[in-house]
């Protein structure tokens, strides 16, 4: 099973199947159709009280369609078991025949002896009429050769109605009101515009290339590619008895063709049907970690910090640290510095249990804990995310006092529990002094190296479009960080100094911009070329991120 699972509601499938391009496909099938020849024989038609046309034969040639319009019948859409879909639409068009030839006999019975007048003529005027045809198209969705594909099972005509029938003005039967004799033409039209038009090939050509764009819709960069080949499809019912479409796609990540070594989740959860949304996706942590791994391998998590980047350039001069890091100043007095920052390994993301006091938490606790406890929670802890319950309970005990914590701590733990998308970074930074050598040239001289363990959490999820790839973007928020000295060439520079200060206030704000580029790109989502996700809601669960979205033509 793949790393991303999806559920497409009936509304979503209906939207995909009834786009203007599909309407154009049906119109193109009908537009410019020709009917070479129609024939009506043995007609006997009264044209007055004492006159009839008998033994009449009409031959019509070179009929063509024009003014074609197609309207979908939304109420006719159905989805049933085993991937069966039925669409309905009404096609309206005009039919005009280039030539009307008639022959027969005009019979007058005004005298005791009937008068027969034969005729055999091409009418100068043309025969034309308007047609409204109702169609149903039955489709079946499946997976074949690594793609979603639709097969057209049948096209049926449900109803036909002619109007605005114009018999040539110079015809022997011009002006008659009863046109029931045209039944044979109606049957011919029905046969021609259902049986003789290859709707099946046209519909498949309109739909399947779009579906075939899904597996390759994750080309984030030239080097970082997500593959979304489908591997499962099912058509269950939801709790209200509505069929919907479930599937999973691989989501495998590669860097320059090499697959991400992270283990694919064994059982990613299938999303529920959300009838009011078009599509519901569950994106496992594997996909986020694959993105971070790709950026790491592409050398995109490295940065040289120089003084021109800083709001206060003096923060990268040893003179700035005369008091806080005296050994640095003594080693390289009044020298500018540069810092090389790099990830030691790819960041690791996990959706996990966390704790947060929110407005909802306060509301749920109202009436269950004293008001003064609620006020303390709102004032001192609201908006903070804790990824360790011991840290959360430690602050509860501090802010509420031991007695209140003993009485209400467990209840607050339950109400505050949430899910956070936690990202753990392992990085290092090397600090260099730009010192003059014996020849007066500036030389980059290594001073010391620190390792950094940093934890972020993700939020502010939004949909994005990166180089025509649909993505879920996000923002990195700092949770905590710890910088420790690894090695030093500076005499007297030991672990007693506060390297967290250097990282937190000088280096990290610049490296954060580099890290944020991963969030600005976002994780690719499997999508159909020409369609955009919009109006999404995002929820976090342990092990995966859930996205409920509509689609729109892009």
């Amino acid at each position: 099973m793949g790393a991303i699972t999806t559920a497409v509601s009936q509304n979503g499938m209906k939207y995909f199947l009834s786009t203007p391009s599909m309407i154009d496909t049906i119109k193109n099938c009908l537009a410019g159709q020709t009917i070479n020849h129609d024939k009506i024989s043995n007609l006997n038609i009264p044209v007055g009280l004492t006159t009839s046309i008998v033994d009449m034969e009409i031959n019509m040639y070179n009929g063509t369609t024009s003014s074609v319009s197609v309207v979908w019948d939304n109420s006719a859409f159905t989805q049933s078991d085993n991937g069966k879909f039925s669409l309905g639409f009404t096609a309206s068009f005009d039919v005009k025949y280039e030539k009307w030839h008639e022959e027969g006999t005009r019979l007058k019975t005004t005298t005791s002896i009937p008068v027969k007048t034969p005729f055999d003529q091409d009418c100068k005027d043309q025969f034309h009429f308007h047609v409204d045809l109702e169609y149903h198209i039955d489709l079946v969705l499946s997976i074949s050769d690594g793609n979603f594909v639709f097969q057209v099972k049948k096209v049926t005509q449900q109803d036909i109605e002619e109007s605005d029938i114009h018999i040539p003005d110079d015809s022997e039967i011009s002006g008659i009101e009863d046109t029931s004799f045209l039944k044979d033409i109606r049957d011919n039209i029905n046969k021609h515009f259902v049986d003789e038009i290859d709707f099946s090939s046209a519909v498949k050509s309109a739909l399947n290339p779009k579906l075939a764009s899904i597996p390759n819709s994750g080309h984030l960069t030239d080097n970082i590619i997500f593959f979304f080949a489908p591997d499962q499809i099912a058509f269950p019912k939801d709790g209200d008895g509505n069929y919907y479409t479930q599937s999973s796609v691989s989501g495998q990540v590669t860097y320059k063709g090499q697959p991400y070594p992270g283990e694919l989740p064994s059982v990613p959860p299938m999303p529920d049907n959300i009838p009011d949304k078009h599509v519901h996706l569950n994106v496992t942590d594997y996909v986020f970690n694959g993105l971070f791994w790709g950026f790491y391998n592409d050398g995109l998590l490295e940065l040289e910090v120089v003084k021109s980047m800083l709001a206060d350039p003096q923060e990268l001069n040893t003179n700035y640290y005369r008091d806080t890091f005296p050994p640095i100043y003594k080693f390289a007095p009044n020298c500018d510095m540069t810092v090389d920052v790099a990830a030691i390994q790819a960041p690791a993301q996990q959706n996990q249990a966390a704790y947060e006091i929110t407005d909802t938490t306060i509301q749920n606790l109202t009436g269950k804990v004293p008001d003064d406890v609620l006020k303390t929670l709102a004032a001192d802890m609201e908006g903070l995310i804790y990824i360790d319950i011991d840290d959360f309970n430690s602050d509860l005990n501090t802010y509420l006092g031991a007695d209140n914590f003993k009485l209400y701590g467990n209840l607050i733990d339950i109400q505050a529990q949430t899910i956070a998308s936690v990202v753990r970074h392992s990085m290092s930074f090397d600090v260099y002094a730009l010192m003059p050598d014996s020849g007066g040239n500036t030389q980059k001289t290594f001073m010391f190296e620190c390792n950094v363990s940093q934890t972020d959490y993700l939020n502010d999820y939004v949909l994005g479009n990166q180089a025509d790839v649909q993505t879920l973007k996000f923002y990195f928020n700092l949770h905590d960080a710890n910088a420790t000295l690894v090695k030093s060439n500076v005499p007297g520079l030991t672990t007693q100094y506060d390297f967290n200060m250097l990282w937190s206030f000088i280096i990290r704000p610049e490296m954060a911009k580099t890290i944020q580029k991963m969030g600005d790109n976002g994780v690719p989502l499997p999508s159909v070329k020409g369609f955009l996700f919009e109006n999404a809601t995002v929820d976090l669960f342990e092990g995966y991120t859930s996205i409920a979205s509509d689609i729109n033509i892009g």
Side-chain angles (χ1 to χ4, degrees):
M1 188 175 289
I4 299 178
T5 52
T6 67
V8 181
S9 68
Q10 289 192 24
N11 280 333
M13 198 63 74
K14 183 192 300 184
Y15 183 88
F16 173 71
L17 292 171
S18 61
T19 57
S21 64
M22 269 294 289
I23 291 175
D24 289 342
T25 296
I26 303 301
K27 286 174 63 175
N28 292 336
C29 286
L30 296 170
Q33 285 291 318
T34 59
I35 305 173
N36 293 330
H37 179 223
D38 263 330
K39 179 179 179 179
I40 304 176
S41 302
N42 302 317
L43 289 179
N44 296 291
I45 301 173
V47 294
L49 294 176
T50 58
T51 304
S52 298
I53 302 299
V54 297
D55 300 326
M56 185 178 186
E57 180 176 288
I58 303 171
N59 285 275
M60 293 157 287
Y61 301 92
N62 300 330
T64 59
T65 58
S66 63
S67 303
V68 179
S69 65
V70 175
V71 178
W72 288 106
D73 181 3
N74 285 328
S75 64
F77 176 88
T78 61
Q79 178 177 354
S80 55
D81 62 338
N82 298 320
K84 299 173 185 175
F85 300 85
S86 184
L87 316 176
F89 63 90
T90 299
S92 299
F93 51 91
D94 295 328
V95 178
K96 179 183 287 187
Y97 286 85
E98 184 178 290
K99 181 179 178 180
W100 169 294
H101 179 85
E102 61 187 21
E103 56 184 279
T105 300
R106 178 179 284 274
L107 178 64
K108 288 188 176 182
T109 57
T110 55
T111 62
S112 58
I113 300 175
V115 178
K116 296 182 178 180
T117 305
F119 59 89
D120 187 341
Q121 64 177 1
D122 290 329
C123 294
K124 295 181 180 179
D125 196 13
Q126 292 180 321
F127 173 53
H128 57 83
F129 54 92
H130 184 77
V131 177
D132 292 307
L133 272 174
E134 293 181 6
Y135 288 92
H136 275 184
I137 301 178
D138 293 334
L139 307 166
V140 174
L141 179 62
S142 62
I143 294 175
S144 177
D145 296 327
N147 283 303
F148 296 106
V149 292
F150 272 112
Q151 296 293 333
V152 179
K153 304 306 290 184
K154 63 179 179 178
V155 180
T156 55
Q157 178 263 319
Q158 300 296 304
D159 194 14
I160 180 171
E161 182 178 333
E162 300 91 2
S163 59
D164 299 332
I165 298 171
H166 176 76
I167 295 173
D169 290 337
D170 50 346
S171 170
E172 290 291 333
I173 59 174
S174 175
I176 65 170
E177 294 183 2
D178 184 4
T179 59
S180 59
F181 69 91
L182 294 174
K183 177 182 180 301
D184 290 341
I185 295 179
R186 178 187 293 113
D187 292 342
N188 287 343
I189 289 172
N190 185 26
K191 181 177 184 297
H192 178 82
F193 287 99
V194 176
D195 298 336
E196 297 180 9
I197 295 179
D198 189 5
F199 286 105
S200 177
S201 294
V203 169
K204 288 191 292 185
S205 295
L207 294 176
N208 289 338
K210 291 185 173 67
L211 295 177
S213 69
I214 294 174
N216 296 312
S217 61
H219 283 231
L220 188 65
T221 71
D222 290 341
N223 295 332
I224 304 170
I225 297 175
F226 291 68
F227 290 100
F228 296 131
D231 53 24
Q232 292 191 29
I233 193 167
F235 306 94
K237 285 183 179 181
D238 64 15
D240 295 323
N242 300 310
Y243 284 101
Y244 64 105
T245 304
Q246 278 186 343
S247 63
S248 67
V249 299
S250 66
Q252 185 185 57
V253 190
T254 64
Y255 172 73
K256 291 185 176 181
Q258 296 300 312
Y260 169 51
E263 185 177 353
L264 278 166
S266 57
V267 187
M270 280 290 185
D272 295 329
N273 185 39
I274 303 180
D276 294 335
K277 288 290 186 181
H278 289 155
V279 63
H280 184 192
L281 302 96
N282 285 344
V283 181
T284 57
D285 295 345
Y286 168 93
V287 180
F288 287 83
N289 285 311
L291 172 73
F292 300 160
W293 171 81
F295 265 71
Y296 170 74
N297 278 280
D298 215 17
L300 298 175
L301 297 181
E302 300 174 0
L303 178 68
E304 182 184 25
V305 183
V306 298
K307 63 186 298 183
S308 61
M309 295 178 175
L310 307 183
D312 182 0
Q314 291 305 307
E315 290 177 341
L316 278 182
N317 186 283
T318 58
N319 189 54
Y320 189 82
Y321 302 96
R322 181 195 296 260
D323 296 327
T324 52
F325 288 87
I328 293 176
Y329 177 76
K330 185 177 180 181
F331 180 80
N334 200 29
C335 287
D336 289 338
M337 299 185 293
T338 65
V339 183
D340 290 345
V341 191
I344 298 173
Q345 60 190 29
Q349 181 269 353
Q350 181 182 16
N351 281 9
Q352 64 172 70
Y355 300 85
E356 182 182 14
I357 302 297
T358 65
D359 289 342
T360 301
T361 312
I362 299 297
Q363 292 172 8
N364 291 339
L365 289 171
T366 300
K368 300 175 182 177
V369 301
D371 289 346
D372 61 330
V373 170
L374 294 177
K375 290 178 181 178
T376 299
L377 292 174
D380 297 325
M381 297 183 66
E382 188 168 5
L384 301 175
I385 289 182
Y386 296 81
I387 60 176
D388 186 281
I389 191 170
D390 291 336
D391 292 339
F392 181 65
N393 284 334
S394 176
D395 276 5
L396 280 181
N397 187 71
T398 299
Y399 291 121
L400 300 182
D403 291 341
N404 281 332
F405 174 72
K406 184 176 181 179
L407 290 171
Y408 308 114
N410 288 338
L411 177 59
I412 296 171
D413 285 348
I414 294 170
Q415 294 299 328
Q417 189 166 350
T418 185
I419 302 294
S421 182
V422 178
V423 181
R424 292 177 171 86
H425 305 265
S426 293
M427 295 175 281
S428 69
F429 64 88
D430 296 343
V431 180
Y432 296 84
L434 302 180
M435 302 175 65
D437 61 15
S438 58
N441 299 311
T442 300
Q443 181 177 337
K444 189 175 178 180
T445 303
F446 174 76
M447 292 197 294
F448 62 93
E449 176 187 355
C450 289
N451 283 350
V452 178
S453 296
Q454 177 171 302
T455 303
D456 292 338
Y457 62 92
L458 307 181
N459 66 2
D460 292 343
Y461 295 90
V462 295
L463 296 172
N465 191 305
Q466 184 69 26
D468 293 328
V469 175
Q470 300 284 301
T471 64
L472 179 68
K473 301 164 68 173
F474 45 86
Y475 187 77
F476 287 86
N477 291 270
L478 176 66
H479 184 270
D480 61 64
N482 184 48
T484 57
L485 183 67
V486 176
K487 61 181 178 180
S488 170
N489 280 351
V490 177
L493 187 65
T494 64
T495 56
Q496 70 181 4
Y497 289 96
D498 185 7
F499 295 95
N500 284 319
M501 183 272 289
L502 272 176
W503 173 255
S504 298
F505 297 104
I506 313 300
I507 305 168
R508 193 201 72 82
E510 300 306 318
M511 188 58 182
K513 299 173 187 177
T514 296
I515 292 172
Q516 183 54 41
K517 290 177 182 177
M518 293 189 291
D520 293 342
N521 277 267
V523 291
L525 303 175
S527 60
V528 177
K529 186 175 182 179
F531 290 80
L532 298 176
F533 293 114
E534 64 174 24
N535 302 326
T537 58
V538 178
D539 294 295
L540 302 182
F541 297 88
E542 286 196 48
Y544 66 96
T545 299
S546 179
I547 307 160
S549 177
D550 291 327
I551 56 174
N552 201 353
I553 299 174

